[in-house]
Amino acid sequence: MTSLHDEHLVAGVDHAAFPTFDPAGTVRFYRDTLGFPVVHSICAAGWGAKDHPDFIHFFFDIGNEDRIAFFYYFGLEGPDLTQGAGDVYARFPEGTADWFVRSRHLALHVASSEELMEYRRRLDASDWPVEMQIQHETIESIYTHDPNGYMIEFTRALRPVEPQEDLDANLTIDALVEVVQQPHPTMDKLLVRKAELIVQRAEKWQEAQQAAVSDEVRR
Amino acid sequence: MSRLYLLDIPENEPILAVARTIAGAEVIEVGPYFAICSSDPISIDRRATGVRHAVWYSWVAGLSGWRISQWDKDALTVADR
């Protein structure tokens, strides 16, 4: 066993990659509209296999040294966008519910209302204006779709996450994993199981938190 | 006594305030959660809490003894199983 065995080691998103059939629009959206610097690109003449097209792999900085990346394949035809729903990578049959199509998206974090509204200003002056702005009790977000049909969100938290919310998330997930391994999972079954986990673990968690705070004070 | 659990976070305070006014119900602490306890099923009026939809549709953390018979824009109501 090394000193790394119990550590949470990763440090954010190196890159999240998507195909594009519209590299000019993609550059206009991410670099020229949003102001995300181009930070890396690869010009690759195929990649071994005979039928592999030449491609450009290009990257934009999305803050925190994380990156969003695209592949443009020369000569590859894009999908037919006149039918159905979705983006250039994932197409869904006509009539697929919006909430399902939109469930996969990329959300970028900003620190303040001023920063969120600055991105709103940049988007609204472009060909990709904000489609939705939502503020509820804990977050505020704006949404649009990039030239490839990928849904992009900018979001800010209205307050910091409290430690008990991490406990609650873990109880939810433990209950969910149990419930989905039984026939016919439902919200009712999850809430019943979660209540049992609250009884088993919530008071012990709070005692551990209080002990940790006391230790901190003693130091 | 059956129970509805909710997490101790600022957004849930208006719901707790309404729960504390329900005749026959008692609110207790279980670690960082509150439990609304009662022998009889209860109902909480959303408008009385003043909370908006994101909190309203996510505030229940656990169910013990009851099932939820109504959870819509008007109220959350539980019934015996």
Side-chain angles (χ1 to χ4, degrees):
Chain A
M1 178 153 165
T2 74
S3 60
L4 299 182
H5 279 201
D6 293 329
E7 298 294 317
H8 179 43
L9 300 170
V10 292
V13 177
D14 185 283
H15 64 281
F18 303 82
T20 181
F21 299 90
D22 179 10
T26 297
V27 169
R28 242 177 1 106
F29 180 80
Y30 288 99
R31 184 192 67 186
D32 302 339
T33 298
L34 294 172
F36 296 178
V38 172
V39 285
H40 184 52
S41 73
I42 298 165
C43 303
W47 199 262
K50 271 189 192 148
D51 61 350
H52 200 303
D54 297 343
F55 67 93
I56 309 293
H57 192 22
F58 56 107
F59 296 68
F60 302 96
D61 186 328
I62 54 171
N64 199 35
E65 299 194 352
D66 299 344
R67 299 172 297 177
I68 186 171
F70 291 88
F71 287 101
Y72 172 67
Y73 301 100
F74 289 100
L76 184 68
E77 286 289 317
D80 175 8
L81 301 178
T82 61
Q83 301 287 321
D87 53 51
V88 297
Y89 184 69
R91 303 294 304 163
F92 298 93
E94 202 76 50
T96 305
D98 274 350
W99 53 261
F100 183 77
V101 175
R102 292 172 178 168
S103 63
R104 196 195 62 183
H105 60 269
L106 179 69
L108 302 172
H109 181 75
V110 294
S112 67
S113 176
E114 292 72 23
E115 292 181 8
L116 190 68
M117 289 308 96
E118 172 56 21
Y119 283 110
R120 169 148 208 161
R121 187 191 65 76
R122 294 179 196 183
L123 288 166
D124 284 347
S126 78
D127 290 339
W128 306 277
V130 169
E131 298 162 20
M132 278 191 295
Q133 177 168 345
I134 293 174
Q135 180 175 348
H136 56 64
E137 289 91 335
T138 52
I139 62 120
E140 183 174 26
S141 294
I142 57 175
Y143 301 84
T144 194
H145 288 80
D146 86 351
N148 310 292
Y150 303 132
M151 192 164 98
I152 304 293
E153 173 182 355
F154 290 81
T155 189
R156 71 181 182 102
L158 299 187
R159 65 163 172 79
V161 173
E162 300 196 4
Q164 66 270 28
E165 291 175 273
D166 290 341
L167 168 72
D168 188 63
N170 279 280
L171 298 189
T172 296
I173 293 309
D174 288 351
L176 177 65
V177 168
E178 286 187 35
V179 163
V180 296
Q181 292 182 88
Q182 306 296 324
H184 313 299
T186 61
M187 179 68 96
D188 178 64
K189 290 175 182 171
L190 180 136
L191 292 174
V192 168
R193 181 60 187 138
K194 206 175 144 188
E196 294 169 355
L197 296 178
I198 289 170
V199 171
Q200 288 170 18
R201 288 159 56 180
E203 285 182 334
K204 283 181 199 154
W205 177 90
Q206 190 157 57
E207 285 161 16
Q209 287 287 115
Q210 284 163 352
V213 169
S214 305
D215 277 358
E216 198 64 33
V217 170
R218 271 199 290 277
R219 281 192 212 120
Chain B
M1 295 274 265
S2 296
R3 291 180 172 189
L4 261 179
Y5 291 92
L6 66 164
L7 189 63
D8 180 7
I9 50 171
E11 293 77 23
N12 286 341
E13 283 168 15
I15 297 167
L16 277 170
V18 171
R20 287 192 172 100
T21 67
I22 298 172
E26 178 190 9
V27 175
I28 63 166
E29 291 181 27
V30 182
Y33 290 87
F34 293 100
I36 306 168
C37 315
S38 172
S39 302
D40 298 318
I42 62 167
S43 185
I44 294 181
D45 182 283
R46 185 188 67 81
R47 289 174 189 85
T49 68
V51 304
R52 293 164 59 209
H53 289 179
V55 168
W56 181 249
Y57 289 112
S58 62
W59 69 266
V60 177
L63 265 179
S64 177
W66 288 318
R67 64 182 173 82
I68 294 172
S69 57
Q70 177 192 10
W71 193 353
D72 57 25
K73 64 181 169 39
D74 299 320
L76 183 133
T77 305
V78 294
D80 289 325
R81 280 186 189 272

